[in-house]
Amino acid sequence: METISENKCFGGTQGVYSHTSAVCGCEMTYGLFLPEEVEFGPVPVLWYLSGLTCTHENAMVKAGAQAWAAEQGIALVFPDTSPRGDGVADDDAFDLGQGAGFYVNATEAPWAPHFQMWDYVTEELPALLFENFAIDEARQSITGHSMGGHGALTIAMNLPERFRSVSAFSPIANPTKSDWGRNQLTAYLGSDEGKWAANDASLLMREKGFPGPVLIDQGTEDQFLDLLKPEALADAIATRRQEAIVRMQKGYDHSYFFISTFMEDHVNFHAEALYAG
């Protein structure tokens, strides 16, 4: 593992690190904020999964999460959104290929050799972090935006024993019924739609739900509302009677201005779960 940078930040440290990923078959980069409490022992961690076209850097720089995480004594992890490099498959479209990993394990050519983002985020990167930093494996929560909101919800519902809480900003909520999902799931997983269900938050909510608290924020002026389909997730939450807060935020769009406005709420929401019990 290589240290790219480490900067003092709200009493803690904002680091950027790279490592050779066996899962993705390339160099991967991630951001990690550690609060000053890490000097005294392992701290709980909140995973932040970013959206389409983003890298580890977008949320790390724009979301303002470190201030609130420092206040709560919580570590933040900012993984990249896909494998990258000259030997990694790509596409001219912004919503497929590099920058658009969708947090799935691709099974189809040309994506399968590198696009194993599910295993990277749920297995390889956690193992690396717990081995090298004072992070409490027993206290984890997860959040994300757009494609990352999709990832946060699907990962949490498939690994409910791992995460104490889950939240999302404007998640891609029903990709099996949206053009912003069907194209990508076909490319990465093939045309058998039966293989897609484990990567659809609305379907998972109906089937499994989540044993902990859920928070969803969606802007009413989001330019991608028809692709995100928040109503499908809200209906699934209501049908299952899932413990959840679903908020339509009047006037807000899909941008980091929206995310940074409500980031304090999300960090505090997760802190309550991470420090409970």
Side-chain angles (χ1 to χ4, degrees):
M1 188 172 66
E2 178 184 351
T3 299
I4 297 175
S5 63
E6 288 183 334
N7 299 95
K8 191 77 171 178
C9 182
F10 294 101
T13 302
Q14 177 61 64
V16 178
Y17 309 93
S18 68
H19 69 105
T20 300
S21 168
V23 168
C24 294
C26 63
E27 281 292 303
M28 296 292 286
T29 302
Y30 65 93
L32 173 65
F33 171 75
L34 293 172
E36 58 185 340
E37 286 85 351
V38 78
E39 298 177 13
F40 308 104
V43 295
V45 60
L46 174 61
W47 292 79
Y48 183 99
L49 304 186
S50 289
L52 288 167
T53 75
C54 291
T55 68
H56 70 280
E57 187 176 30
N58 295 75
M60 187 181 82
V61 173
K62 296 179 181 179
Q66 293 92 337
W68 314 118
E71 195 171 274
Q72 298 287 356
I74 293 172
L76 299 168
V77 184
F78 304 99
D80 202 348
T81 53
S82 77
R84 299 178 190 271
D86 292 339
V88 177
D90 202 5
D91 191 273
D92 290 337
F94 77 95
D95 54 359
L96 186 66
Q98 295 187 35
F102 269 78
Y103 306 100
V104 301
N105 284 340
T107 58
E108 303 298 302
W111 314 107
H114 298 284
F115 281 72
Q116 301 296 310
M117 286 302 293
W118 181 280
D119 283 352
Y120 177 70
V121 169
T122 65
E123 300 297 336
E124 186 178 41
L125 185 55
L128 182 73
L129 294 177
F130 299 136
E131 180 180 350
N132 289 278
F133 301 98
I135 297 174
D136 187 353
E137 187 174 358
R139 291 186 291 166
Q140 300 184 62
S141 291
I142 191 166
T143 187
H145 170 233
S146 193
M147 178 184 72
H150 139 81
L153 289 165
T154 58
I155 288 171
M157 283 187 276
N158 278 295
L159 299 172
E161 72 287 348
R162 182 177 301 185
F163 299 100
R164 295 196 177 186
S165 53
V166 59
S167 72
F169 298 90
S170 49
I172 300 174
N174 193 198
T176 62
K177 300 298 182 183
S178 165
D179 289 342
W180 221 8
R182 294 186 63 84
N183 295 336
Q184 292 78 7
L185 293 174
T186 300
Y188 291 138
L189 303 179
S191 59
D192 181 358
E193 296 187 19
K195 298 178 181 179
W196 299 0
N199 298 288
D200 187 304
S202 296
L203 298 181
L204 286 169
M205 182 59 70
R206 288 183 180 276
E207 179 188 353
K208 297 183 177 184
F210 182 71
V214 177
L215 171 62
I216 309 293
D217 270 322
Q218 172 66 62
T220 63
E221 300 304 312
D222 193 314
Q223 59 270 44
F224 302 116
L225 267 177
D226 290 343
L227 296 168
L228 300 172
K229 297 192 175 297
E231 67 281 356
L233 181 58
D235 183 68
I237 286 170
T239 299
R240 190 172 183 82
R241 299 180 181 177
Q242 167 73 42
E243 176 192 3
I245 301 168
V246 180
R247 307 190 299 192
M248 297 297 295
Q249 301 289 6
K250 186 176 181 179
Y252 286 91
D253 58 19
H254 201 71
S255 70
Y256 271 91
F257 298 110
F258 163 57
I259 297 168
S260 60
T261 298
F262 299 102
M263 181 55 74
E264 180 183 9
D265 289 356
H266 283 245
V267 173
N268 291 344
F269 167 82
H270 291 295
E272 184 175 349
L274 288 167
Y275 281 105

